[in-house]
Amino acid sequence: MKVAFIGAGRWALALALKLRENEISPALYDVDPNVVARLHTSRRHPDLPEHITIPDDIVIASEVRPILADAEVVVFATPARFLTESAQQIVPYLPETLRTIVSVSKGIDTHTNKRLSVVLSSLFPALPIVILAGPAIPYDVVMGDPTSLVAVAEDEPSAQFIRDTFSTGNLRIYYHTDLAGVEIAAAFKNVIAIAAGIAEGLGLGINAKSALLTRGLAEITRLGLALNANPLTFSGLAGMGDLIVTAFSPHSRNHQLGIAIGKGKTLNEAEKDLTGVAEGVFTARTGYELARQLRVDMPITEEV
């Protein structure tokens, strides 16, 4: 089986390495030829452990057509704000072999305030859309740490197919059908993790951080309920699980960004110190608008 990734960041590379363990052929496309050139030259990503190298048989290219050729699964691993543009770009090149579209991007569409699965469904109406989310820092996944994710789709067999395809020795995947709940949880935990980082940077202590995370999960749940999500989803892997790891891991960009801001750096200064994108910055803005639109009280998101 061939799996094509749209985006060649740390999460795409980590998943590609895991799929290779299952004798699946991953191929990665990135729109930036400089990113592709660096990966070809170094055979590693700066946000992954130094000893983790990219095998030569993992194809990485800035030309999308050969990456998509013969793929059965396409995985979107771009920053959320670029997902619509990236999806539109590949529509003319979809192979007949394609069975499923997967997204591991976490956020809300910045143009429409829609969930990412809604955007993808409008562009790929004939294909099942699966969201893969949960508490997984790519650094720890490639180190072999036990990790659990959830594959969610309205079409249950498609979620099961992705569960079976992506499960490896240290990666266990569950499945269910609450798309709205998983997507809202996955997107907004980044916002709350920034707030938790700010609290840590200010030196407010673990009591304050614990209270903030608890109240943050409460407001994420309120937003999910306004979108007809299952409230139990928010106590699961994509909710509480992902919030915990994102708000505590030293490899979490949202956490590190928050700490830097709490210590007095401007947003621009904090972002320059990162090796990638802190998605919570953009989700905070679109989430604030979505919350106002739905008349949901989200005070932490509003402050972020």
Side-chain angles (χ1 to χ4, degrees):
M1 183 190 297
K2 180 180 178 181
V3 175
F5 287 84
I6 307 302
R10 60 179 184 172
W11 193 208
L13 286 164
L15 288 173
L17 291 168
K18 292 287 105 182
L19 288 172
R20 190 170 172 272
E21 293 178 10
N22 283 352
E23 299 184 354
I24 291 171
S25 299
L28 296 92
Y29 161 77
D30 199 284
V31 69
D32 188 342
N34 294 322
V35 169
V36 173
R38 284 197 300 270
L39 291 173
H40 274 296
T41 301
S42 66
R43 304 309 296 182
R44 62 173 306 273
H45 190 281
D47 276 349
L48 297 179
E50 268 192 53
H51 70 279
I52 299 295
T53 57
I54 305 167
D56 291 337
D57 59 2
I58 293 183
V59 178
I60 307 171
S62 55
E63 171 61 40
V64 73
R65 192 191 297 264
I67 296 300
L68 290 173
D70 301 320
E72 292 186 40
V73 178
V74 168
V75 180
F76 285 96
T78 67
R81 69 188 188 282
F82 298 137
L83 185 136
T84 300
E85 181 183 351
S86 300
Q88 290 171 336
Q89 180 186 9
I90 75 164
V91 168
Y93 309 111
L94 295 182
E96 293 183 1
T97 51
L98 188 57
R99 296 174 56 182
T100 310
I101 299 287
V102 176
S103 173
V104 296
S105 302
K106 296 179 178 180
I108 301 293
D109 181 66
T110 54
H111 304 293
T112 63
N113 291 345
K114 291 180 179 179
R115 293 183 288 110
L116 301 184
S117 69
V118 175
V119 173
L120 290 173
S121 293
S122 68
L123 292 170
F124 307 103
L127 290 163
I129 308 299
V130 180
I131 300 298
L132 190 61
I137 299 294
Y139 186 100
D140 303 300
V141 172
V142 298
M143 285 294 289
D145 291 358
T147 302
S148 293
L149 299 173
V150 58
V152 57
E154 291 179 354
D155 177 57
E156 191 170 304
S158 296
Q160 292 173 328
F161 167 59
I162 294 304
R163 174 201 63 185
D164 297 339
T165 301
F166 281 74
S167 292
T168 64
N170 72 306
L171 185 57
R172 178 173 183 175
I173 299 176
Y174 298 81
Y175 75 92
H176 65 79
T177 57
D178 183 16
L179 266 175
V182 167
E183 286 186 279
I184 292 300
F188 283 88
K189 56 87 186 179
N190 286 328
V191 180
I192 305 305
I194 289 176
I198 292 172
E200 189 171 325
L202 289 168
L204 300 183
I206 196 68
N207 293 350
K209 186 172 181 178
S210 297
L212 190 149
L213 293 178
T214 304
R215 298 311 306 159
L217 189 59
E219 71 178 56
I220 294 172
T221 304
R222 283 198 298 272
L223 181 63
L225 290 175
L227 293 166
N228 299 315
N230 184 338
L232 294 177
T233 298
F234 300 94
S235 61
L237 290 170
M240 181 172 63
D242 207 357
L243 178 59
I244 290 169
V245 75
T246 309
F248 283 96
S249 172
H251 302 294
S252 162
R253 291 170 182 159
N254 293 283
H255 179 226
Q256 293 304 317
L257 180 97
I259 291 174
I261 292 172
K263 289 183 176 179
K265 289 190 175 183
T266 66
L267 175 60
N268 287 338
E269 290 170 342
E271 287 185 308
K272 285 179 182 177
D273 290 340
L274 301 176
T275 55
V277 176
E279 289 278 27
V281 173
F282 303 94
T283 305
R285 293 167 179 161
T286 54
Y288 171 68
E289 293 300 325
L290 181 60
R292 289 184 63 190
Q293 177 185 330
L294 296 173
R295 298 183 180 181
V296 175
D297 185 30
M298 299 187 73
I300 299 173
T301 299
E302 182 175 341
E303 289 303 318
V304 174

